[in-house]
Amino acid sequence: MAIKEGLRPGGRSARVQESIHSAVRALLQEQDRATLTVPQIAARAGVTPSTIYRRWGDLPALLADVAIARMRPDSEPVNTGSLRGDLRAWAEQYLDEMSSEPGRNMMRDIQACATPGHCVGILSTQLQIILDRYPDAPNPGVERLINVVVAPTVFRILFATAPLAVEELYRLVDIALGQ
């Protein structure tokens, strides 16, 4: 079930959503995700389980929504003064955050999302901010950065025994920049 769009951005709906998201985050700090249930979340959030089922449909969809909300950055990417430096700093921070246990869990949760394009949208926005800072620099484009830097990073985090080494990540950035 898709997350309902068009709900008022404030008011009761926003308060209920924040209460439920907060309950999920708190419970995930306290217990293993495999033991998490909708009734537990509802009790912690002070709502009925039907409220959660009506809005999200099931637990995986709720966990995906919480993960997407957590992926939204709090600030713009670091400005190092160069396109290469900004991309390296962004990629290293992304690798660090996503290769952590909470990061890997977020990526797994997002796989259950009915609209997985949200992740690419969030990443694309961050990368476009960096590219826009340097209008005179050769621009590899967001799609190339996603394909050459992000995709191998995510693949290694999810499916390899170890994430990329930082030196390899930097090499991918250089490849994306045509260097």
Side-chain angles (χ1 to χ4, degrees), residues 93-114:
Q93 179 180 0
Y94 183 76
L95 172 66
D96 185 53
E97 289 174 1
M98 293 299 118
S99 62
S100 69
E101 187 65 28
R104 285 193 309 276
N105 287 333
M106 281 191 333
M107 285 196 282
R108 289 181 189 113
D109 290 340
I110 289 170
Q111 290 175 351
C113 182

Side-chain angles (χ1 to χ4, degrees), residues 23-114:
V24 169
R25 290 188 302 266
L27 287 165
L28 287 173
Q29 292 289 322
E30 298 168 12
Q31 67 187 64
D32 185 76
R33 70 188 327 89
T35 65
L36 193 63
T37 67
V38 169
Q40 284 178 314
I41 295 166
R44 176 70 66 96
V47 300
T48 63
S50 64
T51 300
I52 294 173
Y53 289 120
R54 194 171 36 254
R55 170 109 190 209
W56 287 279
D58 59 19
L59 182 58
L62 172 57
L63 292 175
D65 190 44
V66 171
I68 287 170
R70 289 179 68 193
M71 280 193 78
R72 288 189 184 96
D74 295 333
S75 60
E76 286 194 358
V78 172
N79 186 340
T80 66
S82 74
L83 177 59
R84 182 176 188 237
D86 287 10
L87 289 172
R88 282 182 165 195
W90 180 87
E92 188 172 349
Q93 179 180 0
Y94 183 76
L95 172 66
D96 185 53
E97 289 174 1
M98 293 299 118
S99 62
S100 69
E101 187 65 28
R104 285 193 309 276
N105 287 333
M106 281 191 333
M107 285 196 282
R108 289 181 189 113
D109 290 340
I110 289 170
Q111 290 175 351
C113 182

Side-chain angles (χ1 to χ4, degrees), residues 71 87 90-92 94-95 98 107 119-120 122-124 126-127 141-158 164 169 172-173 176:
M71 280 193 78
L87 289 172
W90 180 87
E92 188 172 349
Y94 183 76
L95 172 66
M98 293 299 118
M107 285 196 282
C119 294
V120 172
I122 292 167
L123 297 175
S124 295
Q126 290 285 289
L127 293 168
V142 169
E143 285 297 314
R144 180 168 172 81
L145 293 169
I146 296 278
N147 291 336
V148 175
V149 179
V150 177
T153 302
V154 170
F155 183 85
R156 288 287 301 269
I157 289 169
L158 290 177
L164 288 170
L169 184 67
L172 292 174
V173 170

